[in-house]
Amino acid sequence: MAEQQKKSQQAQEPDLNQLRKVRREKLKELQDAGKDPFVITKYDVTHHSVEIKENFEDLEGKEVTIAGRMMSKRVMGKASFCNIQDKPGSIQSYVARDNVGEESYKDFKKMDIGDLVGITGTVFKTKTGEISIHATKVDLLAKSLQILPEKFHGLTNTDLRYRQRYVDLIMNPEVKDTFIKRSQIISTIRKYLDGQGFIEVETPMLVANAGGASARPFVTHSNALSEDFKLRISLELYLKRLIVGGLERVYEIGRVFRNEGVDTRHNPEFTLMELYQAYTDYHGMMDLTENMYRYVAQEVLGTTKIVYNGIEMDLGKPFERITMVDAVKKYADVDFNEVKTLEEARALADAHHIEYEARHKKGDILNLFFEEYVEEHLIQPTFVMDHPVEISPLTKKKPENPDYVERFEFFMNGWEMANAYSELNDPIDQRERFKAQEEQLAQGDEEANTTDEDFMNALEIGMPPTGGIGFGIDRMCMLLTDSQAIRDVLLFPTMKPLD
């Protein structure tokens, strides 16, 4: 079957090459006749397709000018129909020789699918009831020299869709809708946070010390400074410096870079939002998260009930709150409150066939149980609280139980959607945590943090009690647009070069 498809593709290639050749010849004819479309620098558009359709009663019989890509054309002697696609949608145009003139109509008939066209005419409704534009003028604004995919089959090759997103956006309207919705999601987040007194800031992408998360960084080199730098893996440590500086409520939405695997939920560069609020704790971050998610869904989707992969998740109900220990007890029937030693934790892991490393401590093993037994069950919005101190180097310990910290992860659909802390502001404790991280690095943990001396200096200046959180914007967009892979919500995902 694959061989037949290959032969069929090879048989089609000469035809495509011939079609491309014809288009270039048409362009040359236009240029030789002084009608080069590429010399046009401006075109005054008065309306868009959806606007005309939604306001037909007011616009009927009035002149409009639209512009877009010609997606279909039916030539019928002295009159023709074509369909023009613009940003919000598409609209039909009726082009008749007697209205546009003989020479212009002759040029129109030579136009190709994919050409960018401007049309001026009056709004009317055809006998079949379709709102259309009766053209009085047709302008070729740019000649398409490539061949768009055949419209009936569209652009279905997933790899090609990601590599040529510009074609994907043309051929698949639902893709355009997804990215318009993504933009709305991000702007609505900004609107919500600005309304809560937060200010948006920008922090460095090139850093000497890539801290704030457990991930391998990309390394690059500055020729001007003769120094190696890393691409940031997190936004945390610089935003905390701003809290020290007295800004009190800050957030940043930006790209971070992690040198790790690619799958349906991971891309080496992705959009992260982190925010920090002075004088609150992780409970304040839970309230903010719940309110913000609910607000964004209502504003963008018009409902707090979202459906992903056929499963309904209700953001309108209070989000569940459960400790990591209780979650493991609920789904794995293992109570880590009863586990007193590392040896007991290892014995439990062995009995449940959970692999661990020699460097892992009791808290690490609790987290391994959580990942194995719990995550997949967290479909409805859920805050998992109070993580072990071993896996939370930047978080305040719980005063009543210092083996655990004031941290939560927010889950939906079995995915981690956000990670939040009552931020550690004790510089002495923080230095000890960094020291422990460096020991792990020496033992082979490539994702461990190293001590950031300037950040330590900032903490010694004094940071108020602070709540902080990081949101995965791409995963949020996946859920709110019912997209199956992170690449479906990234305009230009990271791809392996074809050669």
Side-chain angles (χ1 to χ4, degrees):
M1 178 65 73
E3 188 63 30
Q4 288 178 343
Q5 289 177 340
K6 186 176 180 181
K7 288 180 180 178
S8 174
Q9 184 178 353
Q10 289 173 342
Q12 291 175 11
E13 283 175 0
D15 293 335
L16 288 176
N17 289 333
Q18 182 60 33
L19 289 171
R20 294 187 189 105
K21 182 181 177 183
V22 169
R23 291 198 176 198
R24 280 165 172 74
E25 289 171 351
K26 287 182 179 181
L27 174 61
K28 190 173 187 310
E29 287 177 13
L30 287 167
Q31 291 171 332
D32 290 344
K35 299 177 181 179
D36 186 353
F38 296 120
V39 302
I40 296 172
T41 59
K42 182 184 178 185
Y43 192 77
D44 293 325
V45 175
T46 65
H47 294 78
H48 285 89
S49 56
V50 171
E51 180 187 1
I52 293 169
K53 291 178 179 180
E54 290 178 347
N55 298 282
F56 172 72
E57 290 183 2
D58 293 333
L59 292 173
E60 184 178 14
K62 294 180 180 177
E63 185 177 270
V64 296
T65 298
I66 65 161
R69 194 175 300 275
M70 187 185 294
M71 298 301 292
S72 67
K73 185 175 72 166
R74 288 182 290 134
V75 177
M76 302 176 298
K78 298 177 182 179
S80 303
F81 285 96
C82 67
N83 194 277
I84 303 299
Q85 178 175 292
D86 57 15
K87 178 191 168 187
S90 63
I91 193 166
Q92 178 177 266
S93 180
Y94 173 70
V95 184
R97 184 189 67 182
D98 293 345
N99 297 106
V100 299
E102 189 166 342
E103 184 176 354
S104 181
Y105 188 66
K106 183 180 177 183
D107 291 340
F108 169 78
K109 289 199 294 182
K110 291 181 180 179
M111 293 179 189
D112 293 302
I113 303 304
D115 286 352
L116 287 154
V117 176
I119 291 179
T120 297
T122 54
V123 178
F124 79 111
K125 190 177 287 187
T126 65
K127 293 178 181 178
T128 59
E130 183 169 355
I131 295 171
S132 306
I133 298 171
H134 194 142
T136 55
K137 190 170 184 286
V138 180
D139 295 293
L140 179 62
L141 306 178
K143 184 69 185 167
S144 175
L145 301 179
Q146 278 287 3
I147 313 300
L148 290 178
E150 192 271 311
K151 189 167 177 62
F152 179 75
H153 295 100
L155 182 63
T156 56
N157 181 299
T158 303
D159 186 76
L160 191 60
R161 284 180 52 224
Y162 297 146
R163 291 183 188 278
Q164 297 185 13
R165 183 67 84 187
Y166 42 91
V167 181
D168 190 25
L169 290 165
I170 293 167
M171 300 307 300
N172 297 313
E174 69 280 4
V175 173
K176 187 187 292 184
D177 291 341
T178 293
F179 287 105
I180 290 172
K181 200 164 286 180
R182 178 190 170 102
S183 177
Q184 292 170 342
I185 290 166
I186 293 172
S187 65
T188 304
I189 290 171
R190 286 190 167 103
K191 181 180 176 183
Y192 177 79
L193 292 177
D194 294 346
Q196 297 295 312
F198 285 82
I199 63 169
E200 184 174 8
V201 298
E202 294 176 305
T203 61
M205 290 190 182
L206 289 174
V207 295
N209 188 326
S214 297
R216 291 174 60 189
F218 288 93
V219 180
T220 187
H221 183 77
S222 167
N223 293 330
L225 299 175
S226 297
E227 292 284 346
D228 282 345
F229 283 86
K230 299 178 178 69
L231 295 178
R232 65 185 182 186
I233 60 172
S234 168
L235 311 174
E236 179 168 349
L237 300 186
Y238 280 96
L239 292 177
K240 284 182 176 178
R241 287 167 166 90
L242 300 180
I243 295 293
V244 170
L247 293 185
E248 292 196 1
R249 296 189 183 202
V250 294
Y251 75 95
E252 181 174 7
I253 300 174
R255 283 293 175 103
V256 296
F257 309 87
R258 298 183 181 179
N259 200 350
E260 53 193 24
V262 178
D263 59 28
T264 56
R265 283 184 283 160
H266 296 88
N267 193 70
E269 57 174 316
F270 61 96
T271 302
L272 181 66
M273 180 181 76
E274 292 195 32
L275 63 86
Y276 293 85
Q277 178 179 341
Y279 311 113
T280 190
D281 62 2
Y282 73 143
H283 292 290
M285 292 295 100
M286 285 186 228
D287 293 340
L288 182 147
T289 301
E290 187 165 343
N291 292 333
M292 188 190 78
Y293 256 78
R294 195 170 289 142
Y295 176 81
V296 171
Q298 186 65 53
E299 288 290 306
V300 176
L301 304 180
T303 177
T304 56
K305 291 182 179 179
I306 66 172
V307 177
Y308 183 83
N309 216 15
I311 299 171
E312 184 177 279
M313 287 164 266
D314 192 350
L315 295 165
K317 294 180 179 178
F319 295 4
E320 183 181 358
R321 303 186 182 196
I322 187 171
T323 67
M324 181 177 280
V325 168
D326 286 345
V328 169
K329 184 177 180 180
K330 178 178 179 179
Y331 293 105
D333 199 26
V334 173
D335 187 356
F336 267 77
N337 283 324
E338 304 299 321
V339 179
K340 304 303 180 185
T341 66
L342 174 58
E343 289 69 27
E344 291 174 13
R346 286 175 172 172
L348 277 170
D350 291 336
H352 288 79
H353 308 290
I354 290 179
E355 295 183 5
Y356 56 89
E357 299 176 28
R359 62 183 174 83
H360 282 152
K361 297 182 171 58
K362 173 186 163 185
D364 297 295
I365 293 173
L366 167 61
N367 188 54
L368 292 172
F369 267 88
F370 174 78
E371 290 174 351
E372 179 68 25
Y373 284 97
V374 181
E375 286 188 1
E376 63 181 320
H377 298 287
L378 305 178
I379 304 302
Q380 296 300 319
T382 304
F383 295 117
V384 176
M385 309 179 295
D386 302 349
H387 293 52
V389 67
E390 293 90 340
I391 63 169
S392 310
L394 298 163
T395 316
K396 273 193 175 184
K397 295 175 183 176
K398 293 181 69 65
E400 70 278 12
N401 189 353
D403 288 340
Y404 296 90
V405 297
E406 294 191 353
R407 172 184 175 187
F408 73 81
E409 290 175 299
F410 174 49
F411 281 84
M412 286 180 67
N413 193 51
W415 302 348
E416 179 199 337
M417 305 297 294
N419 185 25
Y421 313 149
S422 295
E423 301 297 335
L424 180 59
N425 63 340
D426 178 346
I428 297 171
D429 189 358
Q430 180 64 79
R431 187 171 288 281
E432 289 300 312
R433 306 272 194 101
F434 274 141
K435 183 179 177 181
Q437 285 282 298
E438 289 186 338
E439 289 173 0
Q440 291 185 29
L441 186 66
Q443 293 173 24
D445 184 356
E446 295 180 333
E447 297 184 349
N449 286 201
T450 57
T451 304
D452 185 327
E453 289 296 344
D454 183 72
F455 174 66
M456 289 305 308
N457 185 63
L459 281 190
E460 289 174 5
I461 295 291
M463 187 174 85
T466 297
I469 188 167
F471 291 92
I473 295 296
D474 304 308
R475 290 186 187 178
M476 184 180 190
C477 291
M478 286 174 67
L479 282 185
L480 295 182
T481 62
D482 198 13
S483 298
Q484 300 306 302
I486 192 171
R487 290 180 173 186
D488 294 328
V489 296
L490 298 175
L491 279 167
F492 300 103
T494 303
M495 304 290 289
K496 187 175 181 178
L498 287 172
D499 56 1

